[in-house]
Amino acid sequence: MKQICIVFRHAPYGTTYTREGIDFSLLSASFEQLVSLIFCDEAVLHLLPDQQAELAGSKDYVSVFKAFYLYEIETVMACEQSLNAMGLTVAELAIDVQSASVEAISAQLALADEVLVF
């Protein structure tokens, strides 16, 4: 079993990067790969609840985040520095995530066989 770490770095709704990353995550997990997700920089904004994606002309892929556990994606981290920079706490987010320091993120990346950045 391969360990795949997917890092999200882009803000919501300007690109298709995050949607593609989510699709890849779920597909990889469905093929029994061990998938971990890390949200950094402006990508932590994806984790906010009550987004209205249709107003930006996008599909509501944030609701898919709640299905991560169905795909056995257990490691979902949000960069602590990025959360602080955006004035967010994990209690405000739509799903349960682990607030992770730079060191914890580095350790997670070191465990991965492959790292993909979306």
Side-chain angles (χ1 to χ4, degrees):
M1 177 184 300
K2 228 179 218 187
Q3 291 195 34
I4 299 171
C5 183
I6 299 174
V7 180
F8 297 98
R9 301 196 65 199
H10 295 277
Y13 311 122
T15 67
T16 59
Y17 295 131
T18 302
R19 181 68 205 178
E20 292 167 1
I22 292 168
D23 289 345
F24 184 81
S25 303
L26 299 177
L27 182 65
S28 297
S30 69
F31 282 97
E32 300 184 8
Q33 304 301 309
L34 186 58
V35 176
S36 59
L37 307 175
I38 300 173
F39 291 85
C40 294
D41 302 325
E42 294 176 337
V44 297
L45 298 173
H46 288 285
L47 301 169
L48 290 173
D50 303 324
Q51 296 188 41
Q52 297 177 331
E54 62 280 352
L55 295 178
S58 179
K59 289 184 178 179
D60 181 20
Y61 56 84
V62 176
S63 60
V64 175
F65 291 0
K66 294 176 183 173
F68 288 157
Y69 77 94
L70 293 173
Y71 288 84
E72 298 181 6
I73 298 174
E74 297 174 354
T75 303
V76 181
M77 304 171 121
C79 173
E80 185 177 85
Q81 286 182 337
S82 300
L83 288 171
N84 289 339
M86 298 291 173
L88 300 172
T89 65
V90 291
E92 298 173 278
L93 304 180
I95 61 172
D96 291 334
V97 300
Q98 174 186 355
S99 177
S101 64
V102 171
E103 294 80 15
I105 292 171
S106 295
Q108 187 65 38
L109 293 173
L111 292 174
D113 296 309
E114 291 187 37
V115 176
L116 292 99
V117 180
F118 288 92

